[in-house]
Amino acid sequence: MSIDTLDTPDLHLHPATTHPLLQPLNIGGLTIQNRLMVAPMAGVTDNPFRKLCKSFGAGHAVSEMIIADTALYARKKSLYRANFDGEIAPISAQIAGAEPDKLAEAARYQVDNGAQIIDINMGCPAKKVCRKLAGSALLQDEELVARLLDTAVNAVNVPVTIKTRLGFENGRENILRVAKRAEQAGIAAIAIHGRTREDMYTGNARYELIRAVKDSIGIPVIANGDIDSAEKAQQVYEMTGCDAVMIGRAAQGQPWIFRDIEHYLRTDERLDAPSVSEIKDIVLTHLQELYAFYGEYSGCRIARKHIAWYTTGIPNSNAFRQAMYGEESTAGQFKVVERFLQAHE
């Protein structure tokens, strides 16, 4: 079984007329099938995970970020991050950096590699990214932001989007100025996480500034932050008037959240949670894809976090995970996961 053959509903059988988030979205002349998007997450949104989320109805998924440094391009990890084999178009590759020339070079590299959209990371709050004055640290220097945007847009002939936050510090939110400058530079869409860098992932996402951005610019605005259910997707749409919603952490261990949202927006009814039997099929298929993509050593280790997310809340899962972490081979790992889930079907 592959991700493409998972028993998921054919979303194209249902005319997407009941809700704006189920309508196609135009980004720089490219058509996104619906407005339910997967947020780029380092170490998570690799090729198998993006394809899995799309199989459950996500209309768009952005890759993990690649740092704009040619010395890093040839590294094994970066080659995995730049692998778009078998993905549903349009393919979006995220890059991060603080030097305009290097960012432009990274954008061209990704276009040559098959990317049809370039996304610039201006929102990552991680210390190792901010120390390089990339990610959300860029929001401290609006002049540099403007140079980066202008250079990147002029470097490639594909749409350029950005993902960012409300600002670097609470009380100094500058997303309105950044968004207007982005539109001026020719950015095709902007995704906004409703927190500052200071917030990291604490507290609640704030949507009022996303609404203000939507009211002030003409390019698509994508709302991100704390969208963890179908109802919350609807609420965020109503609060922000956004053109799309972007789901990140809530998709970890439950990629079917996109199917749930689609169903709720189309029917106003909630889907039942998947059975353990269905979860087993999803997990084992995902594991096979990870093993094939990364190989024996890395596949086994990268799969561990996904297995932990999938099994959270299942009885005796803590003891199971400790045993699973000790498995050093893909075959052994696969068997213990299969046995554990079969025992709970």
Side-chain angles (χ1 to χ4, degrees):
M1 182 183 290
S2 71
I3 284 172
D4 293 332
T5 58
L6 280 170
D7 186 18
T8 56
D10 187 345
L11 303 182
H12 300 290
L13 292 177
H14 309 292
T17 58
T18 57
H19 198 285
L21 291 177
L22 302 182
Q23 298 283 358
L25 175 66
N26 183 294
I27 294 182
L30 298 175
T31 300
I32 309 298
Q33 289 303 311
N34 66 45
R35 300 166 186 237
L36 310 179
M37 301 184 178
V38 187
M41 294 176 281
V44 180
T45 49
D46 54 18
N47 178 297
F49 188 78
R50 295 193 301 270
K51 289 196 292 187
L52 180 59
C53 290
K54 287 179 179 179
S55 78
F56 278 107
H60 190 55
V62 183
S63 78
E64 306 173 79
M65 68 179 173
I66 289 182
I67 299 295
D69 186 339
T70 52
L72 301 177
Y73 290 169
R75 291 189 180 180
K76 195 172 183 181
K77 184 182 290 186
S78 292
L79 293 176
Y80 284 124
R81 290 178 175 178
N83 185 314
F84 307 115
D85 292 348
E87 283 198 61
I88 298 171
I91 291 164
S92 178
Q94 190 179 76
I95 57 177
E99 299 176 54
D101 290 346
K102 287 186 177 180
L103 197 73
E105 191 171 354
R108 288 190 289 265
Y109 172 86
Q110 288 288 39
V111 170
D112 290 342
N113 188 49
Q116 297 158 292
I117 298 173
I118 296 298
D119 187 68
I120 302 174
N121 184 312
M122 293 188 173
C124 180
K127 287 183 180 179
K128 66 180 180 180
V129 175
C130 288
R131 274 200 300 268
K132 299 178 182 294
L133 294 180
S136 57
L138 291 170
L139 298 174
Q140 300 172 101
D141 188 341
E142 292 179 32
E143 290 185 6
L144 176 57
V145 166
R147 293 202 305 277
L148 290 167
L149 297 178
D150 289 339
T151 303
V153 169
N154 290 328
V156 293
N157 60 356
V158 302
V160 178
T161 62
I162 64 172
K163 186 171 189 296
T164 188
R165 287 188 168 226
L166 302 179
F168 190 76
E169 297 174 316
N170 292 325
R172 298 180 61 188
E173 293 86 350
N174 58 346
I175 185 59
L176 276 169
R177 292 194 301 274
V178 169
K180 289 177 181 177
R181 185 60 180 83
E183 182 178 36
Q184 181 183 338
I187 291 298
I190 179 170
I192 306 169
H193 185 119
R195 289 180 171 87
T196 62
R197 193 271 173 175
E198 181 182 343
D199 290 328
M200 297 294 286
Y201 294 100
T202 61
N204 297 316
R206 293 177 280 148
Y207 304 112
E208 61 275 6
L209 277 176
I210 300 178
R211 178 84 212 195
V213 171
K214 173 59 186 169
D215 291 342
S216 68
I217 62 175
I219 60 176
V221 174
I222 303 157
N224 174 233
D226 294 351
I227 301 172
D228 57 4
S229 68
E231 293 90 340
K232 189 62 178 284
Q234 170 64 20
Q235 291 167 9
V236 171
Y237 169 74
E238 291 174 352
M239 285 188 280
T240 64
C242 61
D243 297 282
V245 293
M246 182 172 272
I247 291 92
R249 290 170 293 163
Q252 296 174 357
Q254 51 173 7
W256 52 84
I257 189 172
F258 300 97
R259 178 181 67 184
D260 293 350
I261 294 172
E262 186 275 340
H263 182 84
Y264 179 81
L265 296 180
R266 186 168 49 80
T267 68
D268 205 29
E269 297 175 352
R270 295 185 62 178
L271 277 177
D272 292 335
S275 66
V276 175
S277 178
E278 185 180 3
I279 292 173
K280 184 191 74 173
D281 290 343
I282 295 165
V283 175
L284 296 182
T285 300
H286 192 184
L287 292 185
Q288 290 169 333
E289 294 279 343
L290 288 170
Y291 301 157
F293 186 72
Y294 288 107
E296 176 68 22
Y297 181 84
S298 295
C300 181
R301 283 147 185 82
I302 289 169
R304 288 170 180 163
K305 61 192 169 196
H306 291 282
I307 296 167
W309 289 328
Y310 280 122
T311 55
T312 297
I314 296 177
N316 303 314
S317 59
N318 286 337
F320 153 74
R321 283 193 289 272
Q322 294 310 309
M324 178 271 296
Y325 291 143
E327 291 291 337
E328 296 290 332
S329 71
T330 56
Q333 184 184 71
F334 189 91
K335 284 181 181 177
V336 299
V337 173
E338 186 176 34
R339 281 199 302 266
F340 174 74
L341 293 174
Q342 279 179 341
H344 289 83
E345 282 186 284

